[in-house]
C-alpha cells in the first residue's frame, strides 16, 4: 500500500486553491512525435503563461505520439482553464503534416494505463521495464521520493541500465514504463476485483505486443501490483492466443516489492473502506487464508517455465508502517499504531526454488517507502544491482526461447 493519500487530488478543490496545481506532476499526452522538449516548453509557456518543468518526453507504446511528465512553476488563469478542460488544441501550422484527426495535448494526473517515461532510440532499445504500483497508490507518485521531486524510474534508472562492453557501453538501453489503475480505498465507488484489474493490465501488455516494438520484459511490482502481475501471467499462460504467447515468452524477470503472496495486515484498512464496494478486493488480499491467493500460489510457478528459464526477486520491508487512523477533522491519515503490513515470509513466499539470498533482498523502509528512493540512495543501489542482473540475463534467455519456438515450427 502506498498511502491513503496519493498524487490524485480532489478535482474540485484543485481549482478553489490556485497554488495546488504548482508542484503537482501532470501527464501530457498527444505531443507530436516531431516535437522536442524545447518545442513543448515554448508552446506551453505561450498558452498557459506558466513555465513548465519537463521531467520526461518519450514516444508512447502505440507509436503515434509522445507523452510528457511535467510540473508548473506558477499558476495563471490560463493554466487553470487548460487544466479544467484538460485539453489544449494544437494549431495546424505547428504540426509537421496535416493530421488525420484533431490534434490536442491531453492533461491528466491519474496516469491510468501505460505511460512511457523513457524510450531509447530504436537501435539502442534492448529491454522493457514496466512498473505497477500498489494498493491505494499512484502510478507515478508511488515511486517518487517523499517530499521531493526525484522519481527514480524516470530520473535515475534509464541512465543506470546501460549496455555492456561491446554492446552500447554506457548507452541507455531500457524503455521505462509505468501502469496506472484505480486502487483508492476511501470513498471509492469501484467494485473491481483482482481479475478485473488484471484484465486491464493484460490489455496494456497486449498494446505493446500489437505495436510490435517490445523487447524482453522486466516487471517491477509493488504490493497489490504484484498480485495483478501474477493474475495476468496466469491468464497469459492459459491462453492459446498468439499475441499472449509472445508476451509470455518476452517476460523474463520480476522484481516484487512487498507483495503479499500469503496476505497482508488489512485490519486498519478495513475501517477505511467500511462496507464500500471495494471491500471484497481488500479482503481478498488479507492474511486469513484467502482463496484467490492460494490459487495464485499454486498456478503462478507454472507460468514462466521451470528453474533457470526466468527469475523472480522478492524485496521485503524491515520497518514497521503506521496504520490508518482518523484525525481531529475525521479524515483518515496514516498516523495510527505501527505494524508489519507484509511480513518477510509473505513477501518472499513466491516460487519454491527461489528461496536463497540471491532471490530475496531486505529494504530498510516501511511498506509504502520501500519503492521511494532519493538521489544517491543506498537502498536504491541494492535495487539497481538486482535489476541490472535481470537485464543482463534477460537477453540471453529470450534468444534461447525464440530459437526453441522456431525449432518447433520447423
Amino acid at each position: 500500500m502506498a498511502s491513503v493519500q496519493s498524487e490524485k487530488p480532489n478535482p474540485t478543490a484543485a481549482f478553489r486553491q490556485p497554488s495546488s496545481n504548482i508542484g503537482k506532476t501532470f501527464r501530457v499526452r498527444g505531443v507530436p512525435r516531431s516535437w522536442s522538449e524545447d518545442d513543448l516548453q515554448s508552446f506551453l509557456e505561450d498558452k498557459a503563461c506558466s513555465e513548465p518543468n519537463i521531467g520526461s518526453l518519450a514516444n508512447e507504446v502505440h507509436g503515434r505520439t509522445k507523452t510528457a511528465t511535467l510540473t508548473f512553476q506558477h499558476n495563471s488563469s490560463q493554466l487553470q482553464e487548460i487544466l479544467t478542460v484538460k485539453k489544449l488544441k494544437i494549431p495546424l501550422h505547428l504540426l509537421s503534416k496535416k493530421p488525420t484527426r484533431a490534434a490536442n495535448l491531453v492533461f491528466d494526473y491519474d496516469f491510468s494505463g501505460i505511460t512511457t517515461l523513457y524510450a531509447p532510440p530504436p537501435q539502442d532499445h534492448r529491454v522493457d521495464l514496466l512498473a505497477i504500483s500498489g494498493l491505494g497508490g499512484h502510478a507515478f507518485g508511488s515511486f517518487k521520493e517523499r517530499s521531493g521531486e526525484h522519481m527514480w524510474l524516470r530520473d535515475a534508472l534509464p541512465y543506470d541500465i546501460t549496455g555492456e562492453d561491446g554492446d552500447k557501453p554506457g548507452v541507455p538501453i531500457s524503455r521505462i514504463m509505468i501502469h496506472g489503475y484505480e486502487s483508492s480505498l476511501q470513498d471509492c465507488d469501484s467494485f473491481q476485483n483482482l481479475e478485473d484489474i488484471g484484465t486491464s493490465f493484460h490489455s496494456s501488455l497486449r498494446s505493446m505486443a500489437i505495436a510490435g516494438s517490445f523487447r524482453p520484459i522486466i516487471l517491477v511490482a509493488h504490493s497489490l501490483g504484484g498480485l495483478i502481475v501474477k493474475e495476468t501471467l496466469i491468464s497469459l499462460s492459459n491462453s492459446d492466443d498468439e499475441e499472449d504467447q509472445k508476451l509470455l515468452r518476452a517476460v523474463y524477470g520480476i522484481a516484487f516489492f512487498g507483495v503479499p503472496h500469503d496476505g497482508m495486515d488489512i485490519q486498519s484498512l478495513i475501517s477505511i473502506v467500511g462496507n464500500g464496494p471495494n471491500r471484497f478486493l481488500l479482503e481478498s488480499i488479507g492474511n486469513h487464508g484467502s482463496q484467490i491467493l492460494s490459487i495464485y500460489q499454486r498456478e503462478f510457478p507454472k507460468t514462466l517455465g521451470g528453474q533457470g528459464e526466468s527469475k523472480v526477486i522478492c524485496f521485503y520491508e524491515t520497518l514497521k508502517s503506521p496504520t490508518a487512523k482518523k484525525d481531529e477533522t475525521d479524515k483518515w491519515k496514516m498516523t495510527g499504531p505501527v505494524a508489519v503490513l507484509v511480513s518477510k515470509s509473505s513477501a518472499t513466499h513466491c516460487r519454491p526454488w527461489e528461496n536463497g539470498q540471491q532471490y530475496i533482498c531486505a529494504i530498510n523502509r516501511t511498506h509504502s517507502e520501500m519503492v521511494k528512493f532519493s538521489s544517491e540512495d543506498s537502498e536504491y543501489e541494492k535495487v539497481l544491482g538486482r535489476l541490472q542482473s535481470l537485464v543482463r540475463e534477460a537477453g540471453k534467455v529470450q534468444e534461447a526461447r525464440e530459437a526453441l519456438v522456431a525449432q518447433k515450427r520447423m
Side-chain angles (χ1 to χ4, degrees), residues 198-199 201-202 205 227-237:
T199 298
F201 186 53
H202 185 173
L205 290 175
L227 300 181
I228 294 166
V229 164
K230 293 173 81 170
E231 164 69 35
T232 303
L233 293 180
I234 291 169
S235 176
L236 290 176
S237 68

Side-chain angles (χ1 to χ4, degrees), residues 38-53:
D38 288 341
D39 294 326
L40 178 61
Q41 177 131 359
S42 62
F43 180 71
L44 290 176
E45 284 180 0
D46 178 57
K47 297 297 182 182
C49 295
S50 178
E51 184 178 352
N53 289 327

Side-chain angles (χ1 to χ4, degrees), residues 268-280:
S268 71
L269 306 180
I270 285 291
S271 300
I272 298 176
V273 302
N275 291 318
N278 57 342
R279 184 181 179 110
F280 176 76

